[in-house]
Amino acid sequence: MWESLIGKAKEGGIDVIETYVFWNLHEPKPGQYDFSGRNDLVKFIKEVQAQGLYACLRIGPFIESEWTYGGLPFWLHDVPDIVYRTDNEPFKKYMQNFVTKIVDMMKAESLYASQGGPIILSQVENEYGNVEAAFQEEGKAYVEWAAKMAVDLQTGVPWVMCKQPDAPDPVINSCNGMRCGETFAGPNSPSKPALWTENWTSFLQRYGEETYLRSAQDIAFHTLLFIIAKNGSFVNYYMYHGGTNFGRSGAAYMVTQYYDQAPLDEYGLIREPKWSHLKEMHAAVKSCSSTLLNGVQTNISLGQLQQV
């Protein structure tokens, strides 16, 4: 389905395809890798490239995403003295091995933009800012290590950490949520752009819960607000297409259909009015992109509820 799904996204005005990398799928046993069939990451990125689009590769390798174990392979349980996602040598060893494996695969196929490929951004870790305080000083040390480990792989393109206000230079801190035009404090350095890695088109759903409905108008308004008010450079929809979590691949209590209310539904069919409304908004942004990118931007308050 990849060619069709990416083609529908392109027709809808999308420029960049973003994907997670699923550690538990690709390394089912320590040192044994699976990139066959629907796990063929290189083939997926090359399909993005073939359709003239860019890619954002969210390696993690902890990815959350309502995926079983957050993407961590279950065999990590058996590693002596391991503590996940902190300044712990056994965890860092296996994490670095996997991240390096993925980066080396992309480099070997010249898939980074620095090599003429489509990948313009990579992500290390995922929303660690939500739990960092629980690990105290070891959490901060882990963030510093993860950032340096990623940057030292020399991909030639920027790295991001989402929901990570203290992302170390040069890693870019990015926003996740529904209203980042209002909630995002902004980049933690004037040398970094404002990025929105997850603009939630709906929301995760557990068994027994009602489906979260977010209108096309609300998505479009807050996307434009981020671009204009926050001088945003990048907005990614989470999800533009979610699909199905087959078997036990979904996290505990999660329904098997994932973000069915996205612009492309569970089955990859166009969901209206979201798909067309966002397509029109994308065209409007591109029609005035030279104006948006020109000069120095200034925001002026016109009162309690209005800004220009």
Side-chain angles (χ1 to χ4, degrees):
M1 296 173 69
W2 293 347
E3 181 180 357
S4 169
L5 292 169
I6 294 167
K8 289 174 182 175
K10 181 179 180 179
E11 188 182 350
I14 296 297
D15 303 302
V16 185
I17 302 294
E18 184 171 281
T19 184
Y20 276 125
V21 179
F22 300 87
W23 189 2
N24 63 338
L25 292 186
H26 295 306
E27 193 177 5
K29 294 181 180 179
Q32 295 184 21
Y33 298 101
D34 182 0
F35 293 96
S36 62
R38 63 197 303 262
N39 294 343
D40 192 340
L41 181 61
V42 166
K43 184 177 180 180
F44 180 81
I45 299 298
K46 285 187 173 180
E47 179 59 39
V48 171
Q49 183 178 32
Q51 299 208 31
L53 302 180
Y54 296 109
C56 173
L57 194 62
R58 305 179 78 187
I59 301 174
F62 177 83
I63 59 171
E64 181 51 56
S65 66
E66 294 71 63
W67 188 256
T68 183
Y69 224 47
L72 300 180
F74 202 74
W75 53 258
L76 285 173
H77 260 302
D78 300 325
V79 176
D81 303 318
I82 196 166
V83 182
Y84 302 152
R85 304 177 72 203
T86 188
D87 191 19
N88 172 267
E89 292 305 321
F91 181 75
K92 291 193 297 182
K93 170 191 169 184
Y94 286 104
M95 173 175 167
Q96 183 169 4
N97 286 349
F98 183 72
V99 174
T100 302
K101 170 75 173 178
I102 298 301
V103 168
D104 286 348
M105 287 177 62
M106 299 302 110
K107 282 183 177 180
E109 299 290 336
S110 298
L111 292 175
Y112 284 104
S114 56
Q115 303 171 293
I119 303 173
I120 57 171
L121 286 170
S122 298
Q123 179 178 301
V124 65
E125 250 296 334
N126 190 78
E127 295 188 345
Y128 190 70
N130 291 346
V131 299
E132 181 179 347
F135 293 101
Q136 301 176 322
E137 287 305 309
E138 290 186 341
K140 185 172 181 60
Y142 170 67
V143 170
E144 295 281 349
W145 170 84
K148 184 178 186 304
M149 180 271 293
V151 172
D152 284 350
L153 292 172
Q154 299 183 335
T155 62
V157 302
W159 287 87
V160 299
M161 283 180 162
C162 61
K163 281 195 173 183
Q164 192 66 48
D166 61 348
D169 289 343
V171 176
I172 303 164
N173 59 302
S174 64
C175 187
N176 291 353
M178 291 190 184
R179 295 169 177 84
C180 286
E182 298 174 348
T183 61
F184 187 42
N188 62 19
S189 165
S191 64
K192 300 177 184 181
L195 309 181
W196 188 354
T197 33
E198 292 186 16
N199 182 356
W200 301 334
T201 56
S202 179
F203 200 58
L204 60 89
Q205 187 177 353
R206 301 172 187 87
Y207 280 103
E209 292 180 344
E210 294 292 323
T211 300
Y212 186 93
L213 301 177
R214 187 180 181 200
S215 71
Q217 291 85 350
D218 189 66
I219 299 170
F221 171 80
H222 285 283
T223 301
L224 291 172
L225 185 66
F226 181 78
I227 292 169
I228 295 169
K230 297 293 184 181
N231 202 22
S233 296
F234 175 88
V235 180
N236 174 75
Y237 298 112
Y238 191 95
M239 304 288 288
Y240 198 81
H241 169 66
T244 308
N245 289 329
F246 294 105
R248 295 177 180 267
S249 57
Y253 309 115
M254 295 297 164
V255 299
T256 53
Q257 69 175 24
Y258 195 60
Y259 275 75
D260 181 51
Q261 294 295 317
L264 300 179
D265 71 10
E266 178 185 4
Y267 308 105
L269 304 175
I270 288 173
R271 179 172 291 285
E272 298 290 15
K274 274 184 183 171
W275 187 86
S276 291
H277 191 81
L278 294 178
K279 179 180 180 179
E280 290 181 14
M281 184 266 288
H282 300 150
V285 169
K286 288 169 185 174
S287 72
C288 58
S289 59
S290 58
T291 304
L292 289 169
L293 295 169
N294 184 58
V296 178
Q297 195 171 34
T298 306
N299 290 357
I300 303 169
S301 173
L302 296 180
Q304 191 173 2
L305 299 176
Q306 295 165 316
Q307 282 191 336
V308 295

